[in-house]
C-alpha cells in the first residue's frame, strides 16, 4: 500500500508528514538524508517502547545510524517538571552535540515532552516524531506546539518548535486500546465539522472500517486531518488569529469537562472534545444559528462509534454531580479565555464553524442544565 505525504509549509522550516503502514521499520531509511549527523537518541514511553522500541532502534542501526534509546513512564505524569529534568540529564549523559537528532516515539505525551526537550537541549537540536496514537497522528504531532505541565495547568511551559519529519505508521494503531483510538477519532471528526462537510460525510460512512483496522481508510483520515491542520498552521503558526482558534472546536466545553473530572482516566482529552463538540453544536442550534438536524447528526455519529456524548455517561455516571455553574467556572479558568469573555467555536451547520466571544451566559447555562438533565 502506498504512503501519503502531507507537506507542512513553513518558510525554512517546512517538513513532511508521511502516513501509511510499515513506517516504523523504515524510520532509519526515511530520516537519513535529514540528519545533520548520523546520531539519534530515541525517547519513548515504557508501553510503546516494549512493543516498538527495538524495531525503531534496529531500523536506525540498519541505516548505519548510531542510535540509543531512553524511556519515560507512560502517562501524563511524565509531562511534569521532574520527569523533564530527569530526561534532560539522561539526554546529556548520552553526550549529544548540536547535530544530534531526537526521535519521539509515542503518543502526545512523548511528543510534547521530547519536542520541548529538543527545543532547549543545547539551545535546540532537531527532532523527528513517530506518533503512535491516533490523537498524536492527527493532532499533537502536527503544528509544532510542545510543552509540559505545571501545577498552574497543562502545557503552560513550552515552545513552538517544528519537527524535521513526522512518520505516522497506521499499523501501530492496531495495538492501541480501543478507548484511546476513539478519543483520537473525535479529533478526526473535528476537522470535518470545522470546514469540511464532505469529510464529515466520509467519516459517517467509513468510521467503522477505520476503527476496525482498514489501513487505507486510516491513511485517508489521517491525511485529511493533517492537511487540515497543516493548512491552518501554515497560515497562523503561533495562534495569533482566530483561524487557528477554530482547531479548538469542542475544546471550551471539553476543557470544562476535563477539569471537572480532574484531567484523569475518567475522561480522556479526545472523549472530552467529542462531548464538547456535541455541546457546541447543541448550543449553536439553541441559539438558532445551526439547523437542529445538524446538531443531532453530530451527536448521533459520535455516540454511534462509542464516544460518550451524554454527560450522565461520563466519569462515574450518575454519581458525578455536574452543575452548570461549576462548568462555567472551569471555562473561565481556561487559558484561552480572554479578558472575561469566553471564546466559543460555534457553527452555522456541519463544516461551518466560526469563533465568537459573544455568547449569552443565560443561554449557556440553560444549555448546560439541559445537557446535565438529559
Ligand atoms: N502539542 C499539541 O498540539 C497537542 C495537541 C493535542 C494533545 N496534546 C497532548 O497530547 C497528550 C495526549 O496524547 P495521547 O492521547 O497520545 O496520550 P499518551 O501519549 O498518553 O498515550 C496514551 C496511552 O497509549 C499508550 N500507547 C501509545 N501508543 C500506543 C500503541 N501504538 N499501542 C499501544 N499503546 C500505545 C501510551 O503508552 C499511553 O499509555 C496530552 O498531554 C496533550 O496535552 C498536544
Ligand atoms: Zn484537542
Amino acid at each position: 500500500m502506498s504512503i501519503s505525504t502531507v507537506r507542512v509549509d513553513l518558510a525554512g522550516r517546512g517538513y513532511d508528514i508521511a502516513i501509511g503502514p510499515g513506517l516504523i521499520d523504515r524510520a532509519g531509511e526515511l530520516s537519513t538524508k535529514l540528519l545533520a549527523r548520523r546520531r539519534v537518541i530515541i525517547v519513548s514511553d515504557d508501553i510503546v517502547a516494549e512493543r516498538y522500541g527495538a524495531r525503531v532502534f534496529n531500523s536506525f542501526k540498519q541505516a548505519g545510524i548510531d542510535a540509543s534509546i531512553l524511556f519515560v513512564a507512560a502517562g501524563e505524569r511524565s509531562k511534569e517538571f521532574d520527569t523533564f529534568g530527569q530526561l534532560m540529564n539522561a539526554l546529556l549523559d548520552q553526550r549529544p552535540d548540536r547535530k544530534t537528532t531526537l526521535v519521539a516515539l509515542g503518543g502526545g505525551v512523548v511528543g510534547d515532552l521530547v519536542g520541548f526537550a529538543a527545543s532547549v537541549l543545547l539551545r535546540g537540536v532537531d527532532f523527528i516524531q513517530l506518533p503512535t496514537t491516533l490523537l498524536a497522528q492527527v493532532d499533537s504531532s502536527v503544528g509544532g506546539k510542545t510543552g509540559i505541565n505545571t501545577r498552574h495547568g497543562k502545557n503552560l511551559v513550552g515552545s513552538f518548535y517544528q519537527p524535521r519529519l513526522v512518520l505516522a505508521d497506521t499499523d501501530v494503531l492496531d495495538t492501541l486500546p480501543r478507548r484511546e483510538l476513539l478519543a483520537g477519532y473525535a479529533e478526526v471528526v473535528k476537522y470535518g465539522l470545522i470546514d469540511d462537510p464532505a469529510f464529515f460525510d466520509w467519516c459517517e460512512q467509513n468510521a467503522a472500517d477505520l476503527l476496525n483496522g482498514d489501513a487505507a481508510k486510516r491513511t485517508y483520515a489521517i491525511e485529511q486531518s493533517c492537511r487540515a491542520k497543516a493548512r491552518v498552521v501554515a497560515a497562523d503558526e503561533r495562534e495569533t488569529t482566530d483561524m487557528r482558534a477554530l482547531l479548538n472546536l469542542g475544546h471550551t466545553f471539553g476543557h470544562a469537562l476535563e477539569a471537572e473530572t480532574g484531567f484523569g482516566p475518567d475522561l480522556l482529552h479526545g472523549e472530552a472534545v467529542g462531548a464538547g463538540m456535541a455541546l457546541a453544536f447543541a448550543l449553536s442550534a439553541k441559539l438558532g444559528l445551526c439547523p437542529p438536524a445538524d446538531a443531532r447528526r453530530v451527536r448521533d455519529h459520535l455516540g454511534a462509534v462509542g464516544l460518550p456524548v451524554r454527560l450522565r455517561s461520563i466519569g462515574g455516571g450518575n454519581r458525578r454531580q455536574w452543575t452548570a455553574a461549576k462548568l462555567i467556572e472551569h471555562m473561565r479558568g481556561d487559558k484561552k479565555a480572554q479578558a472575561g469573555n469566553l471564546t466559543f467555536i460555534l457553527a452555522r451547520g456541519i463544516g461551518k464553524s466560526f469563533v465568537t466571544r459573544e455568547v449569552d451566559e443565560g443561554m449557556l447555562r440553560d444549555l448546560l442544565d439541559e445537557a446535565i438533565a438529559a
Side-chain angles (χ1 to χ4, degrees):
M1 216 199 94
S2 64
I3 302 298
S4 294
T5 305
V6 174
R7 179 79 186 165
V8 183
D9 267 319
L10 292 164
R13 285 166 298 118
Y15 58 95
D16 286 336
I17 304 169
I19 305 152
L23 290 171
I24 281 274
D25 298 309
R26 297 177 58 199
E29 163 209 336
L30 296 171
S31 331
T32 307
K33 61 179 188 305
L34 297 171
L35 302 180
R37 190 158 81 80
R38 292 180 156 255
R39 165 98 173 96
V40 300
I41 306 174
I42 303 158
V43 183
S44 190
D45 76 29
D46 48 9
I47 294 178
V48 175
E50 194 186 321
R51 291 182 186 277
Y52 303 109
R55 281 168 59 183
V56 172
F57 180 85
N58 288 335
S59 89
F60 281 104
K61 285 289 183 193
Q62 273 156 21
I65 297 159
D66 179 19
S68 47
I69 182 159
L70 301 175
F71 314 105
V72 298
E76 190 70 27
R77 286 288 308 276
S78 283
K79 273 176 67 177
E80 286 179 9
F81 267 115
D82 45 348
T83 320
F84 176 71
Q86 284 159 19
L87 174 63
M88 292 312 285
N89 278 313
L91 286 167
L92 290 164
D93 287 342
Q94 302 284 321
R95 307 240 161 261
D97 64 21
R98 299 279 311 273
K99 293 184 170 173
T100 301
T101 297
L102 302 190
V103 176
L105 170 66
V109 165
V110 168
D112 280 12
L113 175 72
V114 177
F116 184 49
S119 75
V120 290
L121 181 68
L122 305 174
R123 300 199 174 79
V125 299
D126 285 349
F127 89 114
I128 290 173
Q129 295 251 36
L130 267 57
T132 62
T133 63
L134 183 56
L135 181 117
Q137 295 184 347
V138 300
D139 188 0
S140 62
S141 71
V142 189
K145 281 201 209 171
T146 79
I148 57 173
N149 303 334
T150 71
R151 67 187 164 82
H152 294 275
K154 277 179 52 130
N155 303 322
L156 292 178
V157 170
S159 56
F160 284 100
Y161 198 66
Q162 305 292 343
R164 295 298 313 279
L165 174 70
V166 180
L167 299 176
D169 186 332
T170 49
D171 289 338
V172 303
L173 301 178
D174 288 343
T175 57
L176 192 65
R178 181 83 177 182
R179 211 181 143 198
E180 297 284 353
L181 187 66
L182 282 174
Y185 179 71
E187 302 270 10
V188 171
V189 173
K190 182 183 80 178
Y191 296 110
L193 296 179
I194 291 173
D195 65 356
D196 192 346
F199 184 53
F200 182 77
D201 292 348
W202 184 91
C203 285
E204 284 182 319
Q205 282 149 32
N206 296 284
D209 292 343
L210 180 168
L211 292 167
N212 291 329
D214 185 316
K217 289 184 177 175
R218 280 182 179 173
T219 302
Y220 179 77
I222 296 165
E223 183 190 339
Q224 291 306 306
S225 303
C226 289
R227 261 188 221 298
K229 185 157 180 186
R231 224 171 20 237
V232 174
V233 169
D236 182 15
E237 188 183 1
R238 288 174 176 257
E239 203 169 335
T240 46
T241 69
D242 277 352
M243 186 166 176
R244 191 153 175 170
L246 289 178
L247 296 172
N248 291 325
L249 173 63
H251 283 61
T252 301
F253 284 108
H255 175 90
L257 300 175
E258 279 185 284
E260 188 61 22
T261 49
F263 290 99
D266 279 354
L267 186 66
L268 301 178
H269 173 74
E271 292 172 335
V273 170
M277 292 189 301
L279 287 168
F281 270 80
L283 180 59
S284 304
K286 192 174 175 64
L287 293 169
L289 296 164
C290 161
D294 279 18
R296 255 194 317 275
R297 232 179 114 192
V298 172
R299 187 190 150 99
D300 286 352
H301 178 56
L302 296 169
V305 298
L307 280 159
V309 279
R310 298 179 72 203
L311 294 192
R312 215 178 260 282
S313 68
I314 290 173
N318 287 327
R319 280 162 300 156
R320 192 167 287 285
Q321 291 298 313
W322 300 101
T323 69
K326 276 196 281 185
L327 290 173
I328 293 172
E329 201 181 299
H330 289 308
M331 289 176 189
R332 294 211 179 284
D334 190 330
K335 69 172 183 236
K336 286 165 193 119
Q338 291 178 359
N341 269 354
L342 293 172
T343 304
F344 285 93
I345 318 302
L346 297 181
R348 296 197 172 83
I350 287 166
K352 296 181 192 160
S353 68
F354 64 97
V355 183
T356 176
R357 295 187 182 76
E358 277 134 48
V359 168
D360 177 67
E361 199 169 314
M363 291 290 248
L364 173 63
R365 197 172 299 274
D366 288 351
L367 184 271
L368 288 170
D369 282 338
E370 284 160 25
I372 290 166

